[in-house]
Amino acid sequence: MINRICLLITLVLLTACTYPEDLNDPPVDLGNFRLEHNIVVAPLAETSTAISRSVTEEQLTTALRDAIAARFDRYEGSKRYHLGVSIEGYILARAGVPVVAAPKSAMIIRVTVWDDAQAKKLNVPPEQMTILENIDGESLIGTGWTQSAEKQLEGLARNAAKSIENFLLRENEEKGWFKDDGTQSGVIAEETDTGLLRDVQSEASQTDG
């Protein structure tokens, strides 16, 4: 567990990323993709209170689930797919020395994609991603000074959803994940949502410390 936090700290110090506000633009081409189940869990999400503000597990999962829905509910493909996301760790930066050592916010997630028609995972093991806050005037000063924990989390969640979209785009281009193969999506059983939740939670509990 501590290894995750150390990795986050190292990556936050070395790198940062920014994504455009593109939700009003036409979505990228993901073939016949349609998001059905949007499962987000955070049973083992850890942070260091020495450098990070704390939020509840419910705040973590709700923020990311809402951001995923905002990005992927735009897709109206002919086949259903499911996303299972586990939040492994996070940092919501506290106030620090502006510009010189302004702490940055970050999150580690693991993503699994299910094909409903084939009733199988498309990626094993889950794809691990490190999500960083945007580079802008506020981050140079330090978002610990300029934003609430909730606002920091909202920004990370938006960037996480965009990173997931980029991952799906890459896999579709390289492996044809969402191309129309002539098969039809199966009928989703009532227990599917519960089963996916149980599966994602199980994967999260098996994460190496």
Side-chain angles (χ1 to χ4, degrees):
M1 302 296 180
I2 298 301
N3 289 343
R4 274 188 228 144
I5 296 172
C6 292
L7 175 61
L8 268 176
I9 293 170
T10 301
L11 289 169
V12 166
L13 291 174
L14 293 176
T15 61
C17 62
T18 181
Y19 291 116
E21 288 291 339
D22 61 349
L23 288 178
N24 291 325
D25 298 335
V28 299
D29 183 8
L30 286 181
N32 60 4
F33 179 90
R34 177 191 294 268
L35 179 61
E36 186 67 25
H37 289 295
N38 172 12
I39 306 295
V40 180
V41 302
L44 300 179
E46 287 198 348
T47 192
S48 169
T49 56
I51 60 172
S52 175
R53 295 160 163 172
S54 294
V55 291
T56 66
E57 181 179 335
E58 181 178 0
Q59 285 176 297
L60 283 171
T61 56
T62 298
L64 185 49
R65 188 164 48 246
D66 288 350
I68 289 172
R71 181 158 294 277
F72 289 102
D73 285 353
R74 304 178 301 160
Y75 291 94
E76 300 179 348
S78 60
K79 292 178 65 177
R80 294 182 288 255
Y81 297 86
H82 317 300
L83 291 177
V85 183
S86 172
I87 301 173
E88 304 292 310
Y90 70 95
I91 293 173
L92 299 177
R94 291 185 177 277
V97 180
V99 181
V100 177
K104 301 294 187 290
S105 300
M107 178 186 292
I108 291 177
I109 62 174
R110 294 180 1 137
V111 181
T112 302
V113 185
W114 278 266
D115 182 320
D116 185 76
Q118 300 184 66
K120 72 173 188 179
K121 300 174 186 179
L122 293 179
N123 61 307
V124 178
E127 180 75 5
Q128 181 164 304
M129 305 177 185
T130 300
I131 311 301
L132 303 172
E133 67 181 10
N134 291 350
I135 293 181
D136 54 25
E138 288 191 342
S139 67
L140 291 177
I141 296 171
T143 55
W145 289 103
T146 62
Q147 295 182 5
S148 66
E150 291 76 16
K151 187 68 174 177
Q152 289 172 318
L153 178 56
E154 179 185 342
L156 284 176
R158 285 199 307 267
N159 285 358
K162 178 63 177 180
S163 290
I164 294 170
E165 184 182 59
N166 287 341
F167 167 61
L168 298 188
L169 178 63
R170 184 183 74 240
E171 295 302 299
N172 188 49
E173 290 177 344
E174 293 179 359
K175 302 174 184 176
W177 271 8
F178 312 120
K179 292 181 180 178
D180 190 354
D181 58 8
T183 62
Q184 298 296 317
S185 286
V187 177
I188 299 178
E190 292 182 1
E191 65 272 13
T192 297
D193 192 73
T194 301
L196 289 173
L197 176 60
R198 187 166 50 245
D199 196 302
V200 176
Q201 288 175 329
S202 175
E203 287 182 342
S205 69
Q206 296 171 17
T207 303
D208 293 334

